[in-house]
Amino acid sequence: MQLCHSFKHRLSISSKYFHISRSRSDSITYNLQGGSRRPFASTQVRPAPPSKNVSEVERKITTIPLERFRNFCIVAHVDHGKSTLSDRLLELTGTIQPGGNKQILDKLDVERERGITVKAQTCSMIYNYKGEDYLLHLVDTPGHVDFRAEVSRSYASCGGALLLVDASQGVQAQTVANFYLAFSQGLQLVPVLNKVDLPSADAPRALEQMRDTFELDPANAVLVSAKTGLNVTAVLPKVIEDIPPPVGDHLKPLRILLVDSWYSSYKGVILLVRIFDGQIKAGDQITSFATGLKYFVGEVGIMYPDQTPQTVLRAGQVGYIYFNPGMKRSQEAKVGDTYTHVGMEKVVEALPGFEEPKSMVFVAAFPVDQSHYQHLEDSINQIVLNDRSVTLRKESSEALGAGWRLGFLGTLHCSVFEDRLRQEHGASIIITPPTVPFKVIWTDGKETVIQNPAEFPNHDLSHNHVAELQEPYVLATITFPEEYLGKIIELCEANRGEQKELRFFTATQVILKYDLPLAHLVDDFFGKLKGSTKGYASLDYEEADWRRSNLVKLQLLVNKEPVDAVARVVHSSQAERLGRQWVSKFKEHVARQMFEIVIQATARNRVVARETIKPFRKDVLQKLHASDVSRRRKLLEKQKEGRKKLKAVGNIAIDHKAFQAFLAK
């Protein structure tokens, strides 16, 4: 009764101030006693509109016409100073404060630690030139050959590129590769010579190389020192004068190209896009040409240098968008896909996409302790969300337990992935040596590409049903000073290479092209190359073709039991050398037992190398002093029989630490 009375009392108080009425449309009207009426209708939930507070940056951008947009990227060989030059340009345009964080566009810990760019990063800048504001969009690209796919994607959002060359190193292999990639896409190139302040800098030689190799006029080159800021002010005027504005029309139906994507725990998948036609704002509904899925846009913005929301993105701009509700699966964001407004699919023509990068190097990964499997799986999946070029599938090994087979673009890509697992997620992991795929052509004409050595056809099967085995080759381009020519030819020939081209592009610099098996390239070829040339050589490679090869599966046996985690497909000429290395190295890490342990390396059912670990042995003759020889022999024979019985029933358990030590470089 008391509860009922209090409820009536509250209702009478509220009715003093509100008069509640319900209309036919089920909208409720609260009538305040003061006379004002406030209707509340139950409507469809819509994404929240962007903030009405227009920033100073956005106000400037809205006044800049398409003719004053410039989209460009910086391309160069690894360690020629791209990220440092990006910092100077951002400081020059007032996008970041001078003297602050170094290499602001390198966002990963592993990038800062190694001093390399792994992922292409973007930033928009506003620059005043001759009294007019220009909107510049800069892309800082990776320099290493493993990340060439990042560079080719960056070109799609740009109208030109700064071709950066180190004045002390000159033109190197990746410089050549990036030039031809940009040239094939019709980009306008601006030559920039960096590090001219170094004592070892030889600007005339570098300019001569650029003229002879690329036919670029040395008079157009800008000579700078990105580290000290020397002459950096001359770069952006050159960009504005030489690089054309993007082509597009903001009045046409929307047409945008997906250039890149990354995953955010709070917003879902965020897309980096280039708008070719039309304009996009929060609340628009767009659809994908590749998947046909529809999304409501939650926010649009530019990288300045971090995510800066905008009211609208229009033709010619490069910016980010994310959806509300968010895109949860990164597989839905297909790089190279075209998006347009819902209903315009038949009016708008899809843009040409990108070729998906193919994995060239495969490794097996296992947790050191199987109880950490779930944590490691979550860590790997989180990194794969932001690195779509990694392929992933589950695998198990009798020796190492459950794990994964991971595919990478190259050995540096694999090494960076491993570093990120250890640093960002604290993972303890065992990784097998890198292997490459191989092709089996069966006698019935079918072809199978095999990535796991465990799936290699055994000797009996291959003898009867396999017509041919093939391995992938790459065309390697090596640039180096001519004094190392003999050593490099020797190294390439030792790795089953076939010479394709040899030319001097200056009096002292050589470009050498070789067809090399990919299996040899991933087996620390780059390290051997640097060692042979005191670090002066540079390497670039591209896929060539599949070639017939005499391949065998090299396997490690411990007491005649195969160790599946250490199998590898190699050329028959390498089997004995590798087999001897394996057994001698494995012997060091296996503990002695009470019985003999035999370690063998086999190829094609033939033992190519063997090591024996002797058992612990009790001295059974210790208590005999002057006994007869037959008594001694009898005791030794009895001991030998006991050893045979022990060996028959004894199982060798190899510790994870032994595998870790064996697989470590």
Side-chain angles (χ1 to χ4, degrees), residues 545-558:
D545 52 10
W546 293 85
R547 298 196 187 176
R548 183 172 186 158
S549 190
N550 187 10
L551 299 174
V552 295
K553 180 180 175 181
L554 186 64
Q555 197 150 21
L556 199 67
L557 307 182
V558 177

Side-chain angles (χ1 to χ4, degrees), residues 146 149 355-363 384 387-393 405-411 413-414 435-438 449-451 472 474 518 522 541 543 546:
D146 284 7
E355 189 180 341
E356 280 289 322
K358 290 198 286 279
S359 299
M360 299 179 78
V361 172
F362 295 87
V363 299
V384 168
D387 191 350
R388 302 272 296 287
S389 50
V390 178
T391 60
L392 175 69
R393 73 174 191 195
R405 180 148 292 267
L406 301 164
F408 299 99
L409 303 177
T411 47
H413 188 202
C414 173
T435 60
V436 301
F438 50 89
V449 175
I450 296 176
Q451 298 164 358
V474 292
L518 181 59
V522 302
Y541 62 86
E543 288 180 72
W546 293 85

Side-chain angles (χ1 to χ4, degrees), residues 83-105 123-128 136 138 225-230 232-233 236 304-305:
S83 298
T84 311
L85 181 60
S86 300
D87 282 357
R88 296 294 84 76
L89 296 178
L90 293 175
E91 288 173 6
L92 188 66
T93 55
T95 312
I96 61 170
Q97 293 300 315
N101 195 1
K102 301 298 178 216
Q103 295 181 332
I104 196 104
L105 295 182
C123 187
S124 295
M125 308 177 287
I126 297 170
Y127 181 65
N128 192 281
L136 309 178
L138 161 71
S225 169
K227 190 173 183 180
T228 63
L230 175 70
V232 172
T233 50
L236 292 180
Y304 188 80

Side-chain angles (χ1 to χ4, degrees), residues 467-485:
E468 194 175 298
L469 292 168
Q470 294 183 347
E471 65 175 329
Y473 269 67
V474 292
L475 176 62
T477 304
I478 309 167
T479 62
F480 53 91
E482 55 96 19
E483 64 207 75
Y484 301 110
L485 180 59

Side-chain angles (χ1 to χ4, degrees), residues 105-401:
L105 295 182
D106 286 347
K107 292 184 167 65
L108 298 175
D109 290 340
V110 70
E111 290 180 314
R112 295 175 183 277
E113 185 183 291
R114 291 183 176 226
I116 58 172
T117 302
V118 169
K119 189 140 182 73
Q121 299 291 350
T122 67
C123 187
S124 295
M125 308 177 287
I126 297 170
Y127 181 65
N128 192 281
Y129 177 62
K130 293 183 178 177
E132 292 183 316
D133 282 339
Y134 284 79
L135 180 65
L136 309 178
H137 178 76
L138 161 71
V139 184
D140 179 24
T141 61
H144 196 277
V145 59
D146 284 7
F147 307 108
R148 188 195 281 115
E150 292 277 332
V151 181
S152 73
R153 285 210 298 268
S154 304
Y155 284 165
S157 63
C158 296
L162 299 180
L163 187 69
L164 196 66
V165 174
D166 185 334
S168 58
Q169 300 283 347
V171 170
Q172 292 190 278
Q174 199 60 33
T175 320
V176 178
N178 285 334
F179 169 81
Y180 286 117
L181 194 60
F183 189 74
S184 66
Q185 296 198 19
L187 296 192
Q188 183 67 38
L189 290 165
V190 176
V192 178
L193 209 58
N194 192 20
K195 304 187 184 181
V196 293
D197 59 319
L198 291 180
S200 58
D202 188 351
R205 177 180 67 97
L207 290 170
E208 184 190 340
Q209 288 177 357
M210 291 169 87
R211 187 192 65 210
D212 295 347
T213 314
F214 310 133
E215 297 180 1
L216 293 174
D217 187 359
N220 291 333
V222 184
L223 277 63
V224 302
S225 169
K227 190 173 183 180
T228 63
L230 175 70
N231 204 32
V232 172
T233 50
V235 174
L236 292 180
K238 198 78 178 163
V239 166
I240 289 167
E241 289 167 7
D242 289 7
I243 293 176
V247 177
D249 185 350
H250 70 277
L251 299 175
K252 284 186 179 179
L254 179 70
R255 186 166 65 144
I256 61 180
L257 176 73
L258 174 55
V259 178
D260 199 2
S261 67
W262 60 93
Y263 190 83
S264 162
S265 306
Y266 304 105
K267 300 173 181 176
V269 181
I270 300 174
L271 312 182
L272 182 75
V273 296
R274 154 87 193 272
I275 292 92
F276 278 84
D277 291 310
Q279 53 187 25
I280 186 170
K281 59 186 183 300
D284 287 359
Q285 190 182 19
I286 64 171
T287 182
S288 157
F289 272 71
T291 64
L293 297 172
K294 298 176 176 63
Y295 307 93
F296 279 103
V297 178
E299 182 179 287
V300 300
I302 58 171
M303 306 300 289
Y304 188 80
D306 299 315
Q307 292 175 24
T308 307
Q310 303 282 293
T311 308
V312 66
L313 289 178
R314 54 201 167 100
Q317 280 190 271
V318 177
Y320 72 88
I321 58 174
Y322 66 82
F323 305 119
N324 186 11
M327 183 191 284
K328 297 301 178 193
R329 294 174 63 247
S330 62
Q331 288 78 9
E332 291 175 25
K334 298 186 180 296
V335 172
D337 189 7
T338 305
Y339 288 78
T340 188
H341 283 132
V342 171
M344 289 292 177
E345 298 92 331
K346 292 181 180 176
V347 179
V348 172
E349 188 181 341
L351 293 155
F354 307 116
E355 189 180 341
E356 280 289 322
K358 290 198 286 279
S359 299
M360 299 179 78
V361 172
F362 295 87
V363 299
F366 303 92
V368 171
D369 183 346
Q370 280 295 314
S371 63
H372 298 155
Y373 178 87
Q374 193 58 49
H375 168 67
L376 187 58
E377 183 173 38
D378 293 343
S379 303
I380 288 173
N381 286 335
Q382 201 167 336
I383 296 180
V384 168
L385 280 174
N386 287 326
D387 191 350
R388 302 272 296 287
S389 50
V390 178
T391 60
L392 175 69
R393 73 174 191 195
K394 291 188 176 180
E395 186 176 284
S396 65
S397 156
E398 286 181 22
L400 296 171

Side-chain angles (χ1 to χ4, degrees), residues 405-453:
R405 180 148 292 267
L406 301 164
F408 299 99
L409 303 177
T411 47
L412 178 71
H413 188 202
C414 173
S415 175
V416 164
F417 187 89
E418 189 181 347
D419 282 358
R420 288 186 67 188
L421 272 179
R422 295 187 201 282
Q423 290 173 7
E424 296 173 23
H425 301 274
S428 299
I429 189 168
I430 298 173
I431 286 192
T432 60
T435 60
V436 301
F438 50 89
K439 190 183 283 185
V440 180
I441 299 176
W442 305 93
T443 48
D444 60 2
K446 287 184 182 175
E447 294 185 2
T448 311
V449 175
I450 296 176
Q451 298 164 358
N452 189 344

